[in-house]
Amino acid sequence: MNYMAVTSPFFLVNMVSISESEDFMSKESLDVREKISELVREYGNEQMSIRPKAISVDVHSQSVVVILEGVLHPAEINMAKERFSRDLIERMYAELFNVSKPILQSRMERLLHRSIDRSFFAVEPQFGNAVIVFFLSGGQQYPKIVKQVDALVNT
């Protein structure tokens, strides 16, 4: 098994295992990621009034990670230079997501044919990007991460 370091504005470095036999670019995998991307784009537009410039989707056995690039307006990014405003922007987007996430979760469950245990939305105001993480049913393999997500969502 090979390992690859993955960086993002939300997580400093993650180690992602890559099985040599796994085909990441299979047509089925691309189709699912494209459908998730479109579903998240529609949800963001309808429910949160965000229009990301780009969406990246990573599908794993127990989770789905969606990176949304360019969701904030320039004024919000400029506001985020001050700590108080940055915290306000982060809380506002988290609450906006929490109010409407049952809609997105039910759509994701229909698409994936899997239940979603929990999900969260985090925005990085200084860069204008956001992440949505879905923990799929049976994800109790990650109890520490689930506790951290619950703490993040409930702050």
Side-chain angles (χ1 to χ4, degrees), residues 42-64:
E42 288 174 6
Y43 162 82
N45 188 29
E46 293 170 3
Q47 300 297 322
M48 297 182 69
S49 295
I50 59 173
R51 291 162 187 82
K53 291 178 175 63
I55 298 176
S56 303
V57 176
D58 293 314
V59 179
H60 305 276
S61 62
Q62 299 298 321
S63 63
V64 176

Short mmCIF file of all heavy atoms in Angstrom, two decimals, residues 42-64:
data_model
loop_
_atom_site.label_atom_id
_atom_site.label_comp_id
_atom_site.label_asym_id
_atom_site.label_seq_id
_atom_site.Cartn_x
_atom_site.Cartn_y
_atom_site.Cartn_z
N GLU A 42 -26.41 22.51 -6.34
CA GLU A 42 -27.84 22.89 -6.30
C GLU A 42 -28.27 23.24 -4.88
O GLU A 42 -28.96 24.25 -4.67
CB GLU A 42 -28.70 21.74 -6.84
CG GLU A 42 -28.60 21.54 -8.33
CD GLU A 42 -29.35 20.29 -8.80
OE1 GLU A 42 -30.05 19.65 -7.99
OE2 GLU A 42 -29.21 19.95 -9.99
N TYR A 43 -27.89 22.42 -3.91
CA TYR A 43 -28.22 22.69 -2.51
C TYR A 43 -27.66 24.04 -2.06
O TYR A 43 -28.35 24.85 -1.44
CB TYR A 43 -27.68 21.56 -1.62
CG TYR A 43 -27.60 21.94 -0.17
CD1 TYR A 43 -28.72 21.87 0.65
CD2 TYR A 43 -26.41 22.39 0.39
CE1 TYR A 43 -28.65 22.24 1.99
CE2 TYR A 43 -26.33 22.74 1.72
CZ TYR A 43 -27.46 22.67 2.51
OH TYR A 43 -27.38 23.04 3.83
N GLY A 44 -26.39 24.28 -2.35
CA GLY A 44 -25.75 25.53 -1.96
C GLY A 44 -26.45 26.74 -2.54
O GLY A 44 -26.67 27.74 -1.85
N ASN A 45 -26.84 26.64 -3.78
CA ASN A 45 -27.54 27.73 -4.45
C ASN A 45 -28.93 27.94 -3.85
O ASN A 45 -29.32 29.07 -3.53
CB ASN A 45 -27.63 27.45 -5.95
CG ASN A 45 -28.17 28.62 -6.73
OD1 ASN A 45 -28.01 29.77 -6.35
ND2 ASN A 45 -28.81 28.31 -7.84
N GLU A 46 -29.68 26.85 -3.67
CA GLU A 46 -31.07 26.93 -3.19
C GLU A 46 -31.16 27.27 -1.70
O GLU A 46 -32.01 28.07 -1.31
CB GLU A 46 -31.78 25.59 -3.39
CG GLU A 46 -32.01 25.19 -4.82
CD GLU A 46 -32.48 23.75 -4.94
OE1 GLU A 46 -32.68 23.07 -3.89
OE2 GLU A 46 -32.64 23.28 -6.07
N GLN A 47 -30.35 26.65 -0.87
CA GLN A 47 -30.52 26.73 0.57
C GLN A 47 -29.58 27.71 1.27
O GLN A 47 -29.93 28.23 2.33
CB GLN A 47 -30.35 25.34 1.20
CG GLN A 47 -31.33 24.32 0.70
CD GLN A 47 -32.78 24.68 1.04
OE1 GLN A 47 -33.06 25.21 2.11
NE2 GLN A 47 -33.67 24.42 0.11
N MET A 48 -28.38 27.93 0.71
CA MET A 48 -27.40 28.76 1.41
C MET A 48 -26.96 29.98 0.60
O MET A 48 -26.14 30.77 1.06
CB MET A 48 -26.17 27.92 1.77
CG MET A 48 -26.47 26.80 2.74
SD MET A 48 -25.02 25.84 3.21
CE MET A 48 -24.10 27.02 4.20
N SER A 49 -27.48 30.10 -0.61
CA SER A 49 -27.11 31.21 -1.51
C SER A 49 -25.60 31.31 -1.73
O SER A 49 -25.04 32.39 -1.77
CB SER A 49 -27.65 32.54 -0.98
OG SER A 49 -29.05 32.53 -1.00
N ILE A 50 -24.96 30.15 -1.86
CA ILE A 50 -23.54 30.14 -2.20
C ILE A 50 -23.38 29.54 -3.59
O ILE A 50 -24.14 28.65 -3.99
CB ILE A 50 -22.68 29.36 -1.18
CG1 ILE A 50 -23.13 27.91 -1.03
CG2 ILE A 50 -22.67 30.07 0.17
CD1 ILE A 50 -22.23 27.06 -0.17
N ARG A 51 -22.43 30.06 -4.31
CA ARG A 51 -22.15 29.59 -5.66
C ARG A 51 -20.65 29.35 -5.81
O ARG A 51 -19.93 30.23 -6.26
CB ARG A 51 -22.65 30.62 -6.67
CG ARG A 51 -24.16 30.69 -6.70
CD ARG A 51 -24.67 31.97 -7.35
NE ARG A 51 -26.11 32.07 -7.22
CZ ARG A 51 -26.75 32.52 -6.15
NH1 ARG A 51 -26.07 32.89 -5.09
NH2 ARG A 51 -28.07 32.60 -6.11
N PRO A 52 -20.21 28.16 -5.41
CA PRO A 52 -18.76 27.89 -5.46
C PRO A 52 -18.22 27.95 -6.88
O PRO A 52 -18.90 27.57 -7.84
CB PRO A 52 -18.64 26.47 -4.90
CG PRO A 52 -20.00 25.98 -4.65
CD PRO A 52 -20.98 27.05 -4.94
N LYS A 53 -16.99 28.42 -6.98
CA LYS A 53 -16.33 28.46 -8.29
C LYS A 53 -15.88 27.06 -8.72
O LYS A 53 -15.81 26.76 -9.90
CB LYS A 53 -15.14 29.41 -8.23
CG LYS A 53 -15.55 30.86 -8.08
CD LYS A 53 -14.33 31.77 -7.97
CE LYS A 53 -14.69 33.22 -7.95
NZ LYS A 53 -15.49 33.67 -6.83
N ALA A 54 -15.57 26.21 -7.74
CA ALA A 54 -15.15 24.83 -8.02
C ALA A 54 -15.54 23.94 -6.85
O ALA A 54 -15.61 24.39 -5.72
CB ALA A 54 -13.64 24.76 -8.24
N ILE A 55 -15.83 22.67 -7.17
CA ILE A 55 -16.18 21.68 -6.15
C ILE A 55 -15.35 20.43 -6.39
O ILE A 55 -15.29 19.93 -7.51
CB ILE A 55 -17.69 21.32 -6.20
CG1 ILE A 55 -18.55 22.55 -5.90
CG2 ILE A 55 -18.00 20.19 -5.23
CD1 ILE A 55 -20.04 22.31 -6.03
N SER A 56 -14.70 19.95 -5.33
CA SER A 56 -13.94 18.69 -5.38
C SER A 56 -14.60 17.71 -4.43
O SER A 56 -14.97 18.08 -3.32
CB SER A 56 -12.50 18.91 -4.95
OG SER A 56 -11.88 19.89 -5.73
N VAL A 57 -14.73 16.47 -4.86
CA VAL A 57 -15.39 15.45 -4.06
C VAL A 57 -14.46 14.26 -3.88
O VAL A 57 -13.89 13.76 -4.86
CB VAL A 57 -16.71 14.98 -4.72
CG1 VAL A 57 -17.35 13.86 -3.94
CG2 VAL A 57 -17.68 16.15 -4.90
N ASP A 58 -14.31 13.82 -2.62
CA ASP A 58 -13.57 12.60 -2.31
C ASP A 58 -14.53 11.64 -1.62
O ASP A 58 -15.12 11.99 -0.59
CB ASP A 58 -12.39 12.88 -1.38
CG ASP A 58 -11.32 13.71 -2.06
OD1 ASP A 58 -10.97 13.39 -3.20
OD2 ASP A 58 -10.85 14.68 -1.44
N VAL A 59 -14.69 10.46 -2.19
CA VAL A 59 -15.59 9.46 -1.63
C VAL A 59 -14.74 8.36 -1.02
O VAL A 59 -13.86 7.80 -1.67
CB VAL A 59 -16.53 8.87 -2.71
CG1 VAL A 59 -17.44 7.81 -2.12
CG2 VAL A 59 -17.34 9.98 -3.38
N HIS A 60 -15.01 8.09 0.26
CA HIS A 60 -14.30 7.05 0.99
C HIS A 60 -15.33 6.03 1.49
O HIS A 60 -16.53 6.28 1.42
CB HIS A 60 -13.53 7.66 2.16
CG HIS A 60 -12.60 8.75 1.71
ND1 HIS A 60 -11.34 8.52 1.23
CD2 HIS A 60 -12.78 10.09 1.66
CE1 HIS A 60 -10.78 9.67 0.90
NE2 HIS A 60 -11.63 10.64 1.15
N SER A 61 -14.89 4.93 2.04
CA SER A 61 -15.82 3.89 2.46
C SER A 61 -16.75 4.36 3.57
O SER A 61 -17.89 3.93 3.64
CB SER A 61 -15.06 2.63 2.90
OG SER A 61 -14.23 2.93 4.01
N GLN A 62 -16.29 5.25 4.46
CA GLN A 62 -17.12 5.69 5.58
C GLN A 62 -17.39 7.19 5.60
O GLN A 62 -18.00 7.69 6.54
CB GLN A 62 -16.46 5.28 6.91
CG GLN A 62 -16.29 3.79 7.07
CD GLN A 62 -17.61 3.05 7.08
OE1 GLN A 62 -18.58 3.52 7.65
NE2 GLN A 62 -17.66 1.91 6.44
N SER A 63 -16.92 7.91 4.58
CA SER A 63 -17.13 9.35 4.57
C SER A 63 -17.09 9.90 3.15
O SER A 63 -16.58 9.25 2.23
CB SER A 63 -16.07 10.06 5.41
OG SER A 63 -14.79 9.85 4.87
N VAL A 64 -17.65 11.09 3.01
CA VAL A 64 -17.58 11.85 1.77
C VAL A 64 -17.12 13.25 2.16
O VAL A 64 -17.70 13.86 3.06
CB VAL A 64 -18.93 11.91 1.04
CG1 VAL A 64 -18.85 12.81 -0.20
CG2 VAL A 64 -19.44 10.52 0.67
#
